[in-house]
Amino acid sequence: MATLTYYIKENPTQADEYPSLSAMQAARLEDLGANGNSVVVECDPYLNTAENNVAVILQGWGTTLGNTLTITNSPGQPHGVPGDASTEGFILQVNDTFAAALRINEDYAIVKNISITNNVTSNSSTGLIMNGDFNTVDSLILRGGTGTTNSRALDMLVTTGGNSLTVTNILALQGGEEGIYLSSAANGTVANCTCISGALYGFRKAGTNTNLTATNIVSYGHVTADFDPTGLTLV
């Protein structure tokens, strides 16, 4: 099994470098499970607006437990701060009306150590949507749009039970409806997350599944409720 590394750069010059995640997907898409590979995409520290008018959807990679897709920062680089282009660190920014700044329709996907912002004011304007099972998000700064329906900083869409997600070290800024939203089937590890004012709800889980425990969650300043813990144990 090989680990293939590609790079998102402001000014790409090499064959394995691309100006956007969409360009990388178009050039390098393969069936990772069939080929026995994993992919790591390292994002350079800059404000990436190449996706402003593109729906960024990563899918079709055929991921498995041993063949994963990872989106991360360049090693050793800091986070960018959404809304502040002067800060160092990679920021994926979208200014046009799409459901998410980044949506990943895969199982066994990992997003970590980057910042994502959706500057749209209409409904259905989320920062990051993870649509699959056994996905991991870690050490992210996320900002969703301000529409009050289906606009979130982070939306974890999960369809099966089991240890189907890992959500750790997330700073959720804004998001019109929720800061962090977990679907009804979500189980797994949720820890060390902060939701800051702007949304109707801060930290929210749908449905009545009771197999999810959230540890060290801070949520404050939201319009309707800081926590909507239906089917959720907070410790």
Side-chain angles (χ1 to χ4, degrees):
M1 181 181 73
T3 297
L4 309 174
T5 303
Y6 306 123
Y7 305 90
I8 306 302
K9 292 183 176 289
E10 188 170 13
N11 298 298
T13 59
Q14 305 299 317
D16 56 1
E17 299 174 355
Y18 300 92
S20 66
L21 290 169
S22 296
M24 183 282 302
Q25 158 107 2
R28 296 291 184 171
L29 183 63
E30 64 171 276
D31 188 328
L32 297 178
N35 295 338
N37 294 328
S38 291
V39 162
V40 176
V41 182
E42 295 183 358
C43 302
D44 258 13
Y46 73 102
L47 176 64
N48 184 307
T49 58
E51 313 279 15
N52 267 353
N53 301 302
V54 178
V56 188
I57 301 175
L58 303 184
Q59 61 186 8
W61 289 89
T63 50
T64 70
L65 176 61
N67 307 106
T68 58
L69 172 66
T70 299
I71 311 298
T72 186
N73 63 337
S74 296
Q77 297 297 328
H79 284 82
V81 178
D84 186 354
S86 67
T87 59
E88 297 181 357
F90 179 81
I91 305 172
L92 174 62
Q93 177 175 292
V94 169
N95 295 324
D96 207 343
T97 304
F98 296 110
L102 174 60
R103 181 183 180 114
I104 299 183
N105 295 331
E106 291 287 344
D107 301 331
Y108 302 104
I110 302 161
V111 182
K112 60 182 182 179
N113 301 328
I114 64 172
S115 300
I116 301 172
T117 183
N118 192 327
N119 288 334
V120 178
T121 59
S122 59
N123 293 333
S124 300
S125 53
T126 292
L128 173 63
I129 295 177
M130 300 292 285
N131 181 27
D133 299 326
F134 308 102
N135 287 328
T136 296
V137 293
D138 177 57
S139 300
L140 302 176
I141 301 176
L142 304 173
R143 186 172 74 175
T146 57
T148 56
T149 302
N150 296 325
S151 296
R152 297 146 179 159
L154 173 63
D155 191 346
M156 300 292 290
L157 300 175
V158 181
T159 57
T160 68
N163 292 322
S164 51
L165 60 80
T166 300
V167 178
T168 52
N169 306 311
I170 304 300
L171 175 57
L173 307 171
Q174 205 167 272
E177 186 171 15
E178 291 103 3
I180 295 177
Y181 178 83
L182 309 175
S183 71
S184 59
N187 298 290
T189 300
V190 180
N192 306 325
C193 297
T194 299
C195 301
I196 297 177
S197 62
L200 297 178
Y201 298 89
F203 189 89
R204 195 178 196 188
K205 183 178 184 298
T208 57
N209 189 313
T210 58
N211 296 324
L212 181 63
T213 298
T215 306
N216 298 329
I217 307 299
V218 176
S219 181
Y220 65 91
H222 298 90
V223 177
T224 303
D226 291 323
F227 294 93
D228 184 11
T230 301
L232 180 69
T233 301
L234 295 170
V235 296

